Structures are given as structure tokens and as C-alpha cells.
Amino acid sequence: MAGGEFDLIRRWFARPAPAGVLGVGDDCALLPPARGALAVSTDLLLEGRHFFADVDPEALGHKALAVNLSDLAAMGAAPTAFVLGLALPAADDAWLEGFSRGLFALADAHGCALVGGDTTRSAGGVAISITVFGELPPEQALKRAGARVGDDIWLSGQLGAADVALRLLRGEPGVAAPAQRDALLAATRDALERPQPRVALGLALRGVAHAAIDISDGLLQDLGHILAASGCGARLRVDELPVAPALADVPPALRRRAALGGGDVYELCFTAPPARRDLVLAAAAGTGVPVARVGVIEAAPGLRAVDDAGAPVSDLPGGFDHFAERP
Ligand code: ADP
Ligand code: MG
């Protein structure tokens, strides 16, 4: 970005680096070597694809980092630092003030320092690319491939609210009676715009869970990634899914679709052997995050969804895939 690039970085993104770190301002950041393995993850957020142009910039700053911290959480890694790539159509101080406030509030809450980045003028909308670094003992990583036959399947938090908020913001009909739409949006919007990455739970599940993933593309799709990587199948009890209470009046078919297929959830789906149920519950209690046991890993490949009576549930929704063919 011409001229103002360095002022912009200094004003909004340069902060004192933690001890032992060379942060914003040189050609590279310098970080001490990770204790254990270095965990690295990156996410790209594009205006019009991942967020609306008029979204509250403070919420966007929060979410841009939250989705990256969620990947560390799903691996059981402790966050250390991140870099920020930013493409902006203009240097809008009000927008930058809100964005950096949301970003740094979450960064500070997780002790994750911004140590560098790149800033450029965009020919189109806003684009945000964050790469986050963390560390963990590699033998305790919560890999997708770790699920074993007989493991319980667990979920943190609640499902469905982000999907419903997105449908409401898009003006989709049939989600709520017209008089209820505003209240339903108010009750679901934070789930979409301010997800809370489950970093503490991910850390507490080290040595307890066999496998984990964060639900960014919908429960069915993301659980499917664990099954594919682990070479097994699963039985999922759909009536025991922890659906957000705000969805009580949403039509049942839509509620189920939101819970099973809705993305942008950033809760953890993880597996652990039944002998460790007490340890899972202790990890949940110790981090203040509710967990629910919703299924079991089986040897036969594929995902079998069953209702309360054990009857198969068909007509399952797909998850989100940017390159999927759409009818
Ligand atoms: P270079 O030209 O060497 O790549 P830049 O001029 O792009 O460096 O950036 C100057 C410094 O500001 C670098 O330390 C870089 O990491 C940092 N920086 C640039 N953009 C951002 C940003 N959005 N957030 C944090 N740091 C940034
Ligand atoms: Mg540069």
C-alpha cells in the first residue's frame, strides 16, 4: 500500500513483542524454537465469501484469529504467535480501529502475539490471511487419524446457531416467523460472528482424546474426515446432538440440517475410549466447556445416523465444500 502502509502498520498492528521475540518491524520475525513440535495453521477469509462487507470489523478481527486458534485447539496445541496478511481496498481508520481491537482482544486472551504480516491495497474487497503458530508434544497431538473402534464420539458446545444466523442474514425464508426473525438473529449471531476457539479444552484433551477436529465445515463432513483418516466408521445418535436452545422454534427439519451440516461452528468433535469418560468430563469441567457423548466409532466404514429408537436417519445434509458442484 502506497506511503501510508508503514504508518498503518505502526498505528494499528505494531505492538511490543513478548520477551525473547523479535516482532513487527524487521524483515523476519524471530521466535525461540518451539518446545516439542511447532504447530502451524493458516486460514484465508475473503469478503463476500467468508464474511459480509458490512460485518462489524471488531467481530471480524476476532473471528479471523478465532478460526486459526480453533485449528490449534483441534490439534491440542498451545498458541504462541501469528502473522497477519491484510489486503484492504482503502485505509479506513474506523474499520482498522475496530478490526485491530477485536483481533488483539482475542490474541491477548490466548497469549498469542502478532509478530509480523504483510499489508497491501486490494483491487477488490477485504482479504485476511492469518497464519498461527503453536507448540505441543508431538506424541500428544490430537490427529484426525487417531480414532479407534469402540471410541466414544464427543462434541463440545452446541450446534446449529451459526448456520441459522447465516440463513437469517441471507434473508432465507422459512427459518422463523417474520415477527421472530430479529430475536432469533440476536440469539444466534454471536455464534456466527464471535466463535470461541476451544483452546483450553484442546489442551486438556491431550493424552485423553485419540482424535479431534474442529467443526468448520459441518459435523457430518468433519467427522467424516476423522473416519476417513482413521479407516473406520461411526454410529451417530442424532437426537442426542447438543443443538443450541435458541433453535427451539426453528422448523425441526431445518434444525436437524443446521446441527448436522451447518459449518462455522468451531466446536471440537473428538473421540476417546469409554474408559476415559471421567477424564473427558474432568477436562470439560476444568475448562468450563460442556461436552456431549453423541456416538461411537465402529469398524464398518461409513457414517450411520440413528434416532432415539435406533432407527436409521436418511436424508442427511452435506457439509460445506467450496468447490462442490451445486445444483
Ligand atoms: P517486507 O517488505 O520486508 O516484507 P513490509 O514492509 O511488508 O516488510 O513490512 C514491514 C514490517 O511490518 C514487517 O516486520 C512485517 O512483518 C510487518 N507487517 C506488515 N503488515 C503487517 C500486518 N498486517 N500486521 C502485522 N505486521 C505487519
Ligand atoms: Mg512485505
Side-chain angles (χ1 to χ4, degrees):
M1 195 174 281
E5 174 184 348
F6 303 106
D7 280 345
L8 185 159
I9 295 164
R10 226 185 341 264
R11 181 151 178 217
W12 300 113
F13 298 111
R15 302 208 313 180
V21 170
L22 182 66
V24 171
D26 216 312
D27 296 311
C28 291
L30 299 178
L31 303 171
R35 285 163 297 179
L38 173 66
V40 181
S41 185
T42 196
D43 261 301
L44 179 61
L45 277 76
L46 301 179
E47 178 181 319
R49 163 106 1 228
H50 302 97
F51 57 91
F52 295 106
D54 63 353
V55 69
D56 176 357
E58 192 255 341
L60 184 60
H62 170 98
K63 184 166 177 177
L65 181 58
V67 302
N68 281 277
L69 292 175
S70 178
D71 282 318
L72 291 182
M75 210 67 189
T80 53
F82 69 105
V83 291
L84 167 67
L86 204 51
L88 302 170
D92 175 340
D93 278 350
W95 190 94
L96 283 159
E97 190 280 322
F99 179 83
S100 61
R101 185 156 34 86
L103 182 82
F104 284 123
L106 188 66
D108 291 347
H110 290 277
C112 188
L114 176 60
V115 296
D118 197 23
T119 307
T120 183
R121 189 181 291 275
S122 148
V126 172
I128 305 158
S129 168
I130 288 182
T131 299
V132 76
F133 307 102
E135 53 191 20
L136 82 172
E139 69 284 359
Q140 291 186 359
L142 307 178
K143 295 180 193 154
R144 296 178 182 187
R148 298 193 210 142
V149 173
D151 277 2
D152 295 318
I153 300 170
W154 296 83
L155 285 176
S156 70
Q158 295 162 345
L159 302 172
D163 185 71
V164 164
L166 182 60
R167 290 171 191 271
L168 290 168
L169 288 170
R170 283 191 180 138
E172 192 176 303
V175 182
Q180 309 295 314
R181 289 182 73 93
D182 286 354
L184 185 57
L185 180 58
T188 55
R189 193 167 190 155
D190 272 2
L192 178 68
E193 296 184 346
R194 293 165 203 271
Q196 293 301 325
R198 301 306 193 187
V199 174
L201 179 63
L203 293 176
L205 289 172
R206 283 179 182 173
V208 176
H210 277 156
I213 193 166
D214 65 325
I215 306 175
S216 48
D217 296 327
L219 172 61
L220 291 184
Q221 181 159 310
D222 287 319
L223 176 56
H225 291 316
I226 287 185
L227 302 182
S230 301
C232 52
R235 177 172 304 265
L236 188 67
R237 300 183 294 269
V238 296
D239 290 327
E240 284 165 44
L241 293 177
V243 181
L247 276 53
D249 293 332
V250 170
L254 180 56
R255 194 166 65 233
R256 182 174 276 182
R257 209 171 337 136
L260 288 167
D264 252 354
V265 180
Y266 307 106
E267 294 295 347
L268 299 184
C269 174
F270 57 96
T271 82
R276 294 186 190 156
R277 279 179 195 165
D278 287 348
L279 293 175
V280 171
L281 294 173
T287 55
V289 180
V291 295
R293 195 154 50 79
V294 298
V296 62
I297 297 291
E298 298 178 332
L303 185 72
R304 289 160 291 283
V306 295
D307 66 14
D308 259 349
V313 175
S314 52
D315 190 25
L316 298 174
F320 190 75
D321 177 343
H322 281 284
F323 293 99
E325 303 283 341
R326 273 167 219 291

